[in-house]
């Protein structure tokens, strides 16, 4: 996939060196932090386990505050 096919990169973090390449290529970068970028995947696994295996699940939203 060439960079022209990418419109936006969503990640937990990125080094500051990506700022100028992102401007030059027109690719938007969203750095959400690890907690916010990883939480949807954990919730999706939780929902799958609940639906397919009839398990009782609970997501405890406890961010680190970093």
């Amino acid at each position: 996939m060439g960079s022209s096919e990418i419109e936006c990169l969503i990640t937990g973090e990125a080094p500051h060196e990506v700022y100028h390449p992102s401007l030059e290529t027109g690719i938007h970068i969203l750095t959400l932090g690890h907690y916010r970028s990883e939480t949807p995947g954990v919730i999706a696994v939780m929902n799958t386990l609940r639906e397919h295996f009839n398990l009782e699940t609970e997501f405890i939203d406890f961010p680190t505050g970093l």
Side-chain angles (χ1 to χ4, degrees), residues 1-64:
M1 176 183 292
S3 63
S4 63
E5 298 174 30
I6 299 171
E7 294 181 19
C8 182
L9 169 66
I10 301 172
T11 183
E13 64 180 53
H16 67 274
E17 293 90 358
V18 302
Y19 177 75
H20 287 287
S22 111
L23 285 178
E24 293 168 4
T25 60
I27 298 172
H28 303 282
I29 299 178
L30 301 175
T31 55
L32 304 179
H34 284 286
Y35 187 80
R36 292 292 175 217
S37 64
E38 295 169 357
T39 301
V42 172
I43 292 171
V45 170
M46 177 189 76
N47 291 335
T48 298
L49 291 172
R50 182 178 56 237
E51 292 168 10
H52 290 287
F53 299 105
N54 198 30
L55 294 174
E56 183 177 330
T57 62
E58 179 180 357
F59 177 75
I60 300 172
D61 192 13
F62 192 70
T64 64

